Amino acid sequence: MKQNSLDTKFRKSILFTLILTTLTMFVFFVLVEKYFLENEFKKQVLNSSSLNIEKKEKQLNKLIENAKKSLVYIKDSEDFNKAIKNKNFKKIENIFLTVSQTNNYFTQLRFIDKDGIELIRIERNKDLNSVFIIKKENLQDKSERNYFIESKEKKEIFISNLDLNIENGKIEFPFRPTIRIILPILENNEFIGDLIVNLEVNLLFDSMLFDILITDTKGEVILPFDKNQKNFEKDIRNYIPTSVNENSKVLKKYIYKNYISYKLNTEIKNDVILILKLKDEYYKKFQYDQIEKRILIFGVFSLFMILVILLVFRKINQIFHFYYKSKLEEKIEFSNKEFKSANTFLSKNIDPELILSQSSTSMILTDKDIKILYVNKAFTNLYGYTQDEVLGKNPGFLRNEDVEQKGIDKLREALSNNSSTTVILRNYTKNNLLKYIELSISPIFEENSDKIIYYLGIHKDVTREQKILKDLKRIF
């Protein structure tokens, strides 16, 4: 009885030591790993992003130079000078259209007369990436704008301030931070008007990793972090730490915690500073991506600590060493059996509807005639339809009348060949909102047979990625 009591106490001491040591090392590991790994992650992201800004700065300067060359080309062209002399505005419109179509970074190309009245304006449709002529009745009076007033005293090409674009006397929303390359046109040394190219800076400095604020060395905010904030504070001190504010004015580049400040070296009239703030959601995403890695490292480390403790106690009592070692082996063996049993059960008795309902990815199950049998919650969240509204329908109804799509032929070919495929489609929600979808379909065959019983479709929303590709295509 006394020996049993000693054994129990000894086992409890071992268990207590293991738990205490493991928990202590776990806390230590989490704190050290969180500090070093996350700070290293931030450091790498911030440094690589600052290098990317340098590339964008060079690209912006190149775009400005190309815009200047385009304006000089127009000014020196015989067709333009004849058209100006004869007031042949139709001819000038054709010249502007040609130049704008070959320079997809122009957001506007205009000719303003000596009184500040727009005579011709070509504008770019950002969504369709096409250019069009503004009707005469929609042309505006720009005589009160600073860049026009300044141009009357200039004889050479110059660059305006970077500011928010104004149309019909109001700041355009969504915000469009814009610079203007302006070439005064002279006739017999008399000012007769301006050739102006508008460049929108958003195209260069949009970011998925950072919220971006644009300010100047005077501390006046040009564009806030929150692009949906129509009425925003103009004082930069309301947005960033004092250290970033002070150093951003004197240093080309400054990195502090989650912030990067970068002073642009360009011909833009006002000294422009970019302030980048790393988005909180990317911390969370990074932490989520590291969960499996942390569990593995912690598991290996914990096992190592357990083995060390067991080896120490082996010197004290060989019997308990073998006892706990055998118990550990039994647990490991039992876990392996449980895993194999569960794996076998899933492979032999899979319930498609149960599996789909657990997935966070939008999934759809149809019969062999492509009639919907089941959709999961992620599907209803993506499209806004309830399950009852889609059961029995062909998934093609999601495309509405948008049937001229490259991916549809590839999809039909895969269905006719009983094969899997992945395509990009334009689908529409219940509220008729366009979604670019990466659709992967796969036939499910009856066990030990070539007979198709289901088709499984996975719908991945890639609308944001498609927008980025289009933006990049316009930039580069």
Side-chain angles (χ1 to χ4, degrees):
M1 183 72 178
K2 186 176 181 180
Q3 182 64 41
N4 289 339
S5 177
L6 290 173
D7 290 347
T8 300
K9 289 181 179 180
F10 192 75
R11 287 194 293 269
K12 286 182 177 180
S13 69
I14 291 177
L15 181 61
F16 176 78
T17 304
L18 287 172
I19 292 174
L20 181 62
T21 304
T22 302
L23 288 176
T24 302
M25 296 311 298
F26 173 74
V27 172
F28 175 79
F29 166 77
V30 168
L31 292 177
V32 171
E33 186 269 349
K34 180 179 178 63
Y35 177 80
F36 286 104
L37 188 59
E38 291 194 6
N39 278 280
E40 183 63 24
F41 165 73
K42 286 193 292 182
K43 182 179 178 181
Q44 291 180 5
V45 169
L46 292 171
N47 285 333
S48 62
S49 297
S50 64
L51 291 174
N52 188 51
I53 297 172
E54 292 178 14
K55 293 179 182 178
K56 294 295 186 181
E57 178 187 57
K58 292 178 181 177
Q59 186 182 358
L60 176 58
N61 283 327
K62 184 177 179 180
L63 294 182
I64 290 173
E65 283 302 313
N66 288 341
K68 289 164 67 175
K69 290 177 182 178
S70 295
L71 291 181
V72 172
Y73 166 79
I74 294 172
K75 171 182 171 291
D76 292 341
S77 70
E78 185 178 347
D79 288 342
F80 174 76
N81 284 284
K82 285 183 178 179
I84 285 291
K85 185 175 182 180
N86 299 324
K87 296 185 178 181
N88 186 350
F89 296 147
K90 190 67 178 178
K91 181 67 175 179
I92 299 175
E93 287 176 352
N94 292 333
I95 296 172
F96 280 17
L97 281 173
T98 300
V99 172
S100 296
Q101 287 166 351
T102 55
N103 295 276
N104 59 8
Y105 52 88
F106 287 9
T107 56
Q108 289 182 9
L109 177 57
R110 296 176 288 165
F111 180 72
I112 298 178
D113 70 14
K114 62 183 179 63
D115 297 317
I117 306 300
E118 292 181 334
L119 298 182
I120 302 166
R121 179 165 132 203
I122 306 298
E123 190 146 338
R124 183 171 301 279
N125 184 314
K126 291 194 297 181
D127 296 328
L128 300 178
N129 197 24
S130 59
V131 293
F132 59 94
I133 301 169
I134 297 296
K135 294 180 180 179
K136 183 177 181 180
E137 58 267 25
N138 293 326
L139 295 174
Q140 300 174 37
D141 181 350
K142 299 293 184 178
S143 60
E144 300 298 322
R145 297 301 305 275
N146 289 336
Y147 64 83
F148 173 75
I149 295 171
E150 184 178 356
S151 72
K152 292 191 291 185
E153 304 300 323
K154 298 279 187 178
K155 295 185 182 297
E156 301 292 336
I157 198 166
F158 71 101
I159 315 300
S160 73
N161 283 340
L162 187 150
D163 55 24
L164 298 180
N165 196 48
I166 295 177
E167 298 295 345
N168 298 308
K170 296 182 179 179
I171 294 177
E172 191 175 7
F173 190 83
F175 296 134
R176 298 178 71 181
T178 301
I179 57 174
R180 299 158 195 85
I181 296 84
I182 304 164
L183 177 58
I185 303 299
L186 305 178
E187 187 176 273
N188 297 324
N189 212 32
E190 292 291 328
F191 175 75
I192 64 170
D194 286 321
L195 278 173
I196 302 177
V197 164
N198 282 22
L199 297 181
E200 184 182 342
V201 178
N202 266 342
L203 297 176
L204 286 172
F205 296 107
D206 274 347
S207 172
M208 293 182 63
L209 283 175
F210 292 90
D211 290 316
I212 299 178
L213 176 146
I214 302 177
T215 183
D216 59 25
T217 52
K218 297 178 181 178
E220 182 173 343
V221 174
I222 299 170
L223 183 70
F225 286 123
D226 184 359
K227 305 304 181 288
N228 295 316
Q229 185 181 355
K230 287 188 177 182
N231 299 314
F232 59 88
E233 296 287 339
K234 294 290 186 178
D235 191 337
I236 188 62
R237 292 174 295 182
N238 294 316
Y239 296 89
I240 59 176
T242 302
S243 174
V244 179
N245 180 35
E246 292 176 350
N247 286 281
S248 66
K249 297 175 182 179
V250 295
L251 297 177
K252 171 72 174 175
K253 178 175 66 177
Y254 179 67
I255 298 177
Y256 176 77
K257 293 185 177 180
N258 303 338
Y259 293 86
I260 302 174
S261 72
Y262 192 92
K263 185 186 294 185
L264 293 180
N265 182 18
T266 68
E267 295 182 66
I268 299 173
K269 185 180 177 184
N270 49 347
D271 293 325
V272 175
I273 301 172
L274 298 180
I275 307 293
L276 287 77
K277 181 174 69 174
L278 192 60
K279 293 181 179 178
D280 291 338
E281 56 260 37
Y282 283 91
Y283 280 133
K284 296 177 183 177
K285 183 179 184 302
F286 171 74
Q287 291 172 339
Y288 177 80
D289 291 341
Q290 295 298 315
I291 288 177
E292 290 185 3
K293 181 178 178 181
R294 291 173 179 175
I295 291 174
L296 177 61
I297 295 174
F298 174 68
V300 172
F301 185 78
S302 298
L303 182 59
F304 171 76
M305 291 303 301
I306 291 171
L307 292 175
V308 169
I309 294 171
L310 289 176
L311 287 173
V312 172
F313 277 102
R314 182 181 181 184
K315 299 297 181 180
I316 302 173
N317 193 312
Q318 191 71 28
I319 295 175
F320 279 101
H321 168 73
F322 287 112
Y323 173 78
Y324 285 106
K325 182 179 179 183
S326 64
K327 286 294 183 182
L328 182 60
E329 290 174 349
E330 287 177 10
K331 290 181 180 180
I332 292 174
E333 182 180 356
F334 178 77
S335 297
N336 287 338
K337 288 180 180 179
E338 286 286 299
F339 173 77
K340 291 178 181 178
S341 174
N343 193 29
T344 301
F345 174 79
L346 289 171
S347 64
K348 297 295 184 181
N349 302 281
I350 186 169
D351 181 348
E353 184 170 319
L354 177 60
I355 297 298
L356 295 184
S357 67
Q358 303 302 313
S359 175
S360 61
T361 302
S362 175
M363 293 189 179
I364 181 172
L365 192 71
T366 73
D367 60 18
K368 60 185 179 65
D369 297 320
I370 323 297
K371 301 298 182 183
I372 298 175
L373 297 175
Y374 178 79
V375 294
N376 65 358
K377 186 176 180 180
F379 177 93
T380 59
N381 289 341
L382 175 62
Y383 289 106
Y385 292 100
T386 65
Q387 185 167 183
D388 290 340
E389 289 176 316
V390 301
L391 291 180
K393 292 185 177 181
N394 185 296
F397 84 93
L398 294 169
R399 292 186 285 280
N400 289 353
E401 298 180 0
D402 189 0
V403 295
E404 297 296 327
Q405 302 188 37
K406 294 179 181 179
I408 295 178
D409 291 338
K410 185 178 178 182
L411 182 63
R412 288 171 178 166
E413 182 181 353
L415 292 173
S416 65
N417 294 331
N418 298 333
S419 61
S420 301
T421 191
T422 298
V423 297
I424 299 293
L425 294 176
R426 296 187 298 274
N427 283 352
Y428 295 83
T429 66
K430 185 176 180 180
N431 294 329
N432 204 35
L433 179 65
L434 172 63
K435 295 282 186 180
Y436 283 91
I437 300 296
E438 182 183 86
L439 170 63
S440 297
I441 63 163
S442 180
I444 299 177
F445 297 91
E446 189 175 52
E447 189 174 7
N448 301 321
S449 169
D450 292 334
K451 180 182 177 182
I452 294 177
I453 54 175
Y454 302 120
Y455 278 97
L456 177 63
I458 300 175
H459 292 228
K460 181 180 178 183
D461 185 355
V462 294
T463 306
R464 174 178 288 186
E465 291 81 353
Q466 290 292 313
K467 180 182 182 300
I468 294 171
L469 287 174
K470 289 182 179 180
D471 287 345
L472 289 175
K473 185 177 180 182
R474 285 201 296 269
I475 296 172
F476 296 101

